[in-house]
């Protein structure tokens, strides 16, 4: 295991437990600094190959994941691994799907589901979690 991300680094969301998770958009270049130990990618197509361990969730832009059980397992794995590893979550733009996953990770970390979207918008990106059905997905997660 390696150390986690630096608090306050670009795109890094600090969860109440102290876990740190980096969110980003795959359409932008990889940020400088340490690389992820594990990544969770949410795309409608197979993501590009990376040099670190990763999981892919089939999740169309502005939509919801196609496999709820696989999504639940992947989110729980990402949250667990963020306890001591550098975990990244990313979609194409880094807002909707990434924000939805970050909000679900916040729920796993103890943030009430009805407050998780606001938490992510305050601590990660104001426009995170873009659609009503993504907000509903977070509200029902956990």
């Amino acid at each position: 295991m390696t150390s986690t991300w630096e608090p306050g680094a670009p795109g890094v969301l600090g969860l109440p437990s102290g876990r740190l998770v980096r969110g980003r958009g795959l359409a932008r270049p990889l940020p400088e600094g340490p690389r992820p130990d594990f990544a969770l990618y949410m795309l409608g197509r197979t993501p590009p190959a990376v040099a670190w361990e990763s999981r892919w969730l089939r999740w169309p832009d502005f939509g919801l994941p196609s496999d709820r059980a696989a999504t639940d397992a992947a989110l729980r794995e990402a949250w667990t691994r963020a306890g001591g590893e550098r975990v990244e979550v990313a979609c194409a733009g880094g807002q909707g799907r990434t924000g939805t996953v970050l909000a679900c990770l916040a729920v796993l970390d103890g943030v009430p589901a009805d407050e998780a979207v606001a938490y992510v918008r305050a601590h990660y990106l104001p426009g995170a979690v873009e659609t009503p059905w993504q907000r509903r997905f977070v509200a029902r997660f956990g």
Side-chain angles (χ1 to χ4, degrees), residues 7 20 27-29 36 39 41 56 59 62 64 66 73 91 103 106 113-114 123 127:
L20 301 170
R28 292 185 278 289
Y41 297 124
W56 168 51
W59 191 328
F62 299 106
L64 294 174
S66 59
C91 63
D114 63 345
H123 299 285

Side-chain angles (χ1 to χ4, degrees), residues 36-58:
D37 297 311
F38 175 77
L40 184 56
Y41 297 124
M42 297 77 61
L43 295 168
R45 57 176 165 62
T46 305
V50 292
W52 47 85
E53 186 178 356
S54 66
R55 302 269 181 279
W56 168 51
L57 295 174
R58 183 178 298 278

Side-chain angles (χ1 to χ4, degrees), residues 121-137:
R121 288 177 173 171
H123 299 285
Y124 169 67
L125 187 68
V129 191
E130 296 174 308
T131 68
W133 39 95
Q134 290 171 342
R135 288 190 297 277
R136 193 168 36 253
F137 184 84

Side-chain angles (χ1 to χ4, degrees), residues 73-96:
L75 296 178
R76 291 176 190 284
E77 178 182 7
W79 179 82
T80 299
R81 292 179 76 152
E85 297 178 65
R86 288 186 301 268
V87 172
E88 170 178 89
V89 298
C91 63
Q95 275 189 255

Side-chain angles (χ1 to χ4, degrees), residues 5-30:
W5 303 110
E6 288 295 320
V12 173
L13 174 68
L15 295 169
S17 67
R19 285 174 166 84
L20 301 170
V21 180
R22 181 172 75 186
R24 76 177 181 102
L26 294 171
R28 292 185 278 289
L30 184 67

